[in-house]
Amino acid sequence: MASEAEDGQAISGVWYAPQTSRAMTATLRLEDGGRLTARDEAGAVLASCELPAAAFSDRVGSIPRRIAFADESAFETDDNDSVDRLMQPLAKRGSGLVHSLERFHPRLAVFVVLVALLAAAIYRFAVPVLVEVAVLVTPPVVPELLSSSTMTTLDNTVFEPSKLDAETQKDIAEGFDKLAAASAGGADGYSLNFRKGGHIGPNAFALPDGTIVLTDELVEMANDNETILGVLAHEIGHVDHDHSLRQVYRAAGVTGLILLIGGDVGAGVEDILIQGSALLQLRHSRSAEAEADRFSIELMHRTGHDPLAISRFLELIRDKLGDTSESDFLSTHPATPSRIEETKRYAEELMATMPD
Ligand SMILES: [Zn+2]
């Protein structure tokens, strides 16, 4: 009895000599208290090694099992159940396949958590990074196309030619040219366009190629060139920081950005390029507004203008249009108390540290 338990039952199958496909009918059995041995029909030993030295293929349905000996010969059988029984001592020893799978479970849980964290990190960090990459690789034709299509759409739908008198236009344009000359894009990097705003009302906005639009309604509301220049300096800030382009790219999402960077313009971006007015529906983030405000304060100060002009303008829209106005300008440029306070604080700090 003892010897039968130790030797186990013979498993029928086929044996392959090392590095050949020559097959030979054989039996496999655990002998001598632990040696895995294959014998031919006459009982001669074909291969033998310690059980842990043999390599067992995984059990996959009814596919025949392959057991490789240390000498690289192999035994194949479709008697999967007997092979599993043969492998039991390995599982008990703690080095078998079954045991290693059990041990893997805690690691699997950690892996799943890591994948979830990675996915969250992609949404948190990859989009801003991809947006920056897209801005860097954007050829000049993209902002030009975006801007010209937006202007065409607006001119065909809401805008009318400006009714401002020539002198007012000339005064504002001269001040604007000086601001432009002192900015990164230079005198030719920006163009000021006067328009009657229609239902858009008092507004000023910048398109990504440096096209800046100023409505008659805003000029009339401000009624002060210095205040208007503060607003135009703010718009130059949006251009210099590529705020509109970033908004378009953020709207394109991860997939759109990857396609875009790869040179394949996605459907979403294509829509925006064709229907330029979509650009106007994109709102600048709070941080982009704050950045453009600081830009205005610095540029106005640098060119000998009043750095508090933008604060005055924000107070003006708060007073004239109220916080709940449906003005397009207010929805894209909210004159919140904290924003007014912050622009004043920054302008005064700048004037104190860098007097004219
Ligand atoms: Zn703005």
Side-chain angles (χ1 to χ4, degrees):
M1 279 300 280
S3 96
E4 198 180 306
E6 269 183 50
D7 287 1
Q9 270 197 328
I11 303 169
S12 311
V14 183
W15 178 79
Y16 297 91
Q19 276 130 30
T20 71
S21 57
R22 190 167 49 87
M24 186 182 292
T25 306
T27 57
L28 183 72
R29 184 201 291 262
L30 210 52
E31 296 180 3
D32 301 337
R35 282 195 77 79
L36 191 64
T37 305
R39 292 176 185 272
D40 66 11
E41 286 171 307
V45 173
L46 297 169
S48 182
C49 70
E50 292 292 325
L51 181 60
F56 291 78
S57 66
D58 291 341
R59 180 169 185 161
V60 181
S62 59
I63 292 170
R65 283 299 251 297
R66 190 176 176 88
I67 297 121
F69 287 93
D71 67 357
E72 293 186 349
S73 68
F75 179 86
E76 249 182 46
T77 178
D78 53 14
D79 189 352
N80 272 303
D81 291 341
S82 296
V83 173
D84 287 343
R85 271 197 296 278
L86 193 67
M87 289 171 70
Q88 270 170 14
L90 293 172
K92 280 177 200 148
R93 282 158 50 104
S95 59
L97 177 69
V98 174
H99 192 85
S100 75
L101 273 177
E102 279 167 0
R103 241 186 353 195
F104 187 61
H105 280 305
R107 266 194 281 168
L108 187 67
V110 170
F111 181 72
V112 167
V113 170
L114 284 176
V115 168
L117 286 174
L118 185 69
I122 284 171
Y123 274 87
R124 173 75 178 78
F125 300 110
V127 170
V129 171
L130 288 172
V131 164
E132 295 312 307
V133 174
V135 167
L136 277 177
V137 302
T138 298
V141 67
V142 171
E144 281 163 21
L145 199 57
L146 271 168
S147 305
S148 63
S149 59
T150 303
M151 276 307 277
T152 304
T153 304
L154 288 170
D155 279 336
N156 288 337
T157 53
V158 288
F159 284 161
E160 282 174 48
S162 173
K163 304 276 192 300
L164 291 177
D165 62 80
E167 201 181 329
T168 305
Q169 285 198 23
K170 187 167 160 282
D171 282 351
I172 296 170
E174 277 175 6
F176 175 80
D177 288 345
K178 281 186 195 143
L179 293 177
S183 301
D188 300 328
Y190 319 88
S191 69
L192 178 61
N193 299 265
F194 294 96
R195 292 287 191 279
K196 190 161 171 47
H199 79 73
I200 283 183
N203 210 333
F205 59 88
L207 299 174
D209 72 340
T211 300
I212 289 167
V213 177
L214 179 64
T215 67
D216 294 358
E217 291 87 339
L218 189 144
V219 174
E220 283 152 15
M221 187 183 86
N223 196 27
D224 167 52
N225 284 3
E226 196 70 3
T227 304
I228 292 163
L229 288 181
V231 174
L232 295 176
H234 171 98
E235 298 305 330
I236 291 174
H238 280 314
V239 175
D240 277 12
H241 287 288
D242 290 314
H243 287 153
S244 298
L245 215 48
R246 285 198 171 81
Q247 284 298 87
V248 171
Y249 289 156
R250 248 175 243 128
V254 176
T255 317
L257 280 167
I258 289 167
L259 290 173
L260 195 87
I261 293 166
D264 185 3
V265 175
V269 176
E270 210 167 57
D271 278 354
I272 292 168
L273 287 172
I274 294 164
Q275 306 173 355
S277 61
L279 200 59
L280 292 174
Q281 283 151 26
L282 299 170
R283 289 183 188 178
H284 291 308
S285 66
R286 207 175 276 251
S287 68
E289 287 307 333
E291 204 166 29
D293 284 346
R294 285 194 299 274
F295 186 96
S296 169
I297 293 161
E298 288 164 9
L299 180 58
M300 292 291 279
H301 185 251
R302 202 164 62 234
T303 51
H305 287 284
D306 182 5
L308 283 162
I310 191 69
S311 315
R312 267 208 312 282
F313 179 73
L314 291 171
E315 285 176 330
L316 193 68
I317 54 176
R318 178 199 59 197
D319 297 344
K320 291 221 176 182
L321 304 175
D323 253 357
T324 55
S325 164
E326 289 185 357
S327 156
D328 201 50
F329 192 92
L330 203 64
S331 65
T332 54
H333 295 77
T336 59
S338 68
R339 192 174 166 201
I340 294 170
E341 215 171 282
E342 177 55 27
T343 51
K344 276 186 176 168
R345 190 200 62 75
Y346 188 63
E348 275 152 15
E349 184 189 297
L350 200 65
M351 285 189 284
T353 54
M354 299 171 62
D356 294 319

